[in-house]
């Protein structure tokens, strides 16, 4: 598993390099500077780590990565087929998707190995954090979206646009659909056998 993890690390470095190259090309061709925003999911990770005893930091980070890598596949499968997205972005997502399918399988296997070996009390503690981890990646970041619109010309009321775009019903439906593979993994591994975690 460690050998495979190193291969995934190399894959992710490649994804970062391709994403950076696309960002640079976009900036050079449009003159639009990227908006530097710290992703909200990193803030959530920091809060989760700080909310628990230091000895659980590595486990929280591992579960956070497992959640991330089992959620992202659906988005990457849909994006390359979306004709409203520019070709360069679709091509990048398509390249990324083939690797992420393998990553999903790997991290699902890690979870299947890890979860049954955790003591019951630790399962309850970590299980209570799983919904926040899922939402950290799937819940739209209204603050970041507003900041991006503020940096573009032609958007007079960025906060109002974001608020109207992110209706509760459509956002909830999207989160539920995107969480399906991860929720299946949790269900298959009896995470929901504990009523406290279900709650």
């Amino acid at each position: 598993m460690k050998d495979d993890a190193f291969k995934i690390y190399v894959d992710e470095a490649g994804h970062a390099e391709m994403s950076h190259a696309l960002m640079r090309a976009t900036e050079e061709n449009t003159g639009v500077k990227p908006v530097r925003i710290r992703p909200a999911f990193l803030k959530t990770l920091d809060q989760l780590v700080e909310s628990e005893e230091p000895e659980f930091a590595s486990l929280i980070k591992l579960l956070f990565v497992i959640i991330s890598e089992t959620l992202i596949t659906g988005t990457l499968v849909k994006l390359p087929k979306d004709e409203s997205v520019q070709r360069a972005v679709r091509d990048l997502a398509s390249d990324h998707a083939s690797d992420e399918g393998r990553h999903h399988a790997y991290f699902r296997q890690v979870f299947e190995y890890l979860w049954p070996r955790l003591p019951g009390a630790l399962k309850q503690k970590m299980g209570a954090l799983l919904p926040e981890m899922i939402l950290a990646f799937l819940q739209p970041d209204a603050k970041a979206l507003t900041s991006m619109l503020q940096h573009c010309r032609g958007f007079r009321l960025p906060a109002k646009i974001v608020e109207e775009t992110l209706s509760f019903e459509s956002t909830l439906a999207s989160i539920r659909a995107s969480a399906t593979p991860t929720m299946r993994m949790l269900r298959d591994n009896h995470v929901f056998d504990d009523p406290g975690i279900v709650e």
Side-chain angles (χ1 to χ4, degrees):
M1 292 184 103
K2 284 183 179 180
D3 290 348
D4 288 340
F6 282 123
K7 292 173 189 170
I8 290 171
Y9 180 78
V10 171
D11 287 345
E12 295 296 357
H15 300 163
E17 190 280 326
M18 289 185 289
S19 297
H20 181 73
L22 179 61
M23 183 183 74
R24 291 287 302 270
T26 301
E27 184 179 349
E28 288 169 11
N29 284 288
T30 64
V32 176
K33 300 273 185 206
V35 180
R36 302 289 181 199
I37 299 170
R38 187 170 189 257
F41 68 84
L42 291 177
K43 181 179 178 184
T44 300
L45 175 59
D46 290 343
Q47 290 169 341
L48 291 172
V49 168
E50 289 167 12
S51 72
E52 298 294 340
E53 294 85 348
E55 62 264 28
F56 298 126
S58 293
L59 179 57
I60 291 169
K61 290 175 184 178
L62 176 59
L63 288 170
F64 203 75
V65 171
I66 290 170
I67 295 298
S68 167
E69 291 291 325
T70 57
L71 285 173
I72 200 166
T73 308
T75 304
L76 289 174
V77 169
K78 293 175 195 168
L79 188 63
K81 299 172 188 169
D82 186 346
E83 296 289 329
S84 69
V85 177
Q86 290 184 347
R87 166 63 73 189
V89 176
R90 284 188 283 143
D91 289 346
L92 177 70
S94 181
D95 289 343
H96 197 151
S98 60
D99 287 339
E100 287 303 327
R102 288 192 330 276
H103 299 181
H104 174 99
Y106 172 82
F107 282 103
R108 181 182 170 106
Q109 185 180 14
V110 170
F111 189 80
E112 289 169 353
Y113 179 84
L114 171 70
W115 191 258
R117 288 165 174 79
L118 295 178
L122 191 52
K123 283 182 184 178
Q124 288 179 335
K125 182 185 278 285
M126 293 299 115
L129 303 180
L130 295 175
E132 289 182 66
M133 293 180 185
I134 292 169
L135 288 173
F137 292 104
L138 296 182
Q139 191 167 292
D141 185 350
K143 185 177 177 183
L145 293 170
T146 301
S147 181
M148 284 184 256
L149 288 180
Q150 287 170 338
H151 285 81
C152 297
R153 284 186 229 126
F155 296 104
R156 291 186 323 185
L157 300 168
K160 186 167 177 49
I161 292 169
V162 171
E163 181 185 334
E164 291 174 356
T165 304
L166 301 178
S167 75
F168 177 76
E169 292 79 13
S170 64
T171 298
L172 184 60
S174 176
I175 288 171
R176 285 184 170 151
S178 297
T180 299
T182 301
M183 295 298 284
R184 186 180 309 116
M185 175 189 74
L186 300 178
R187 195 172 296 109
D188 291 349
N189 287 279
H190 307 285
V191 172
F192 301 130
D193 288 359
D194 183 311
I197 295 174
V198 171
E199 183 61 30

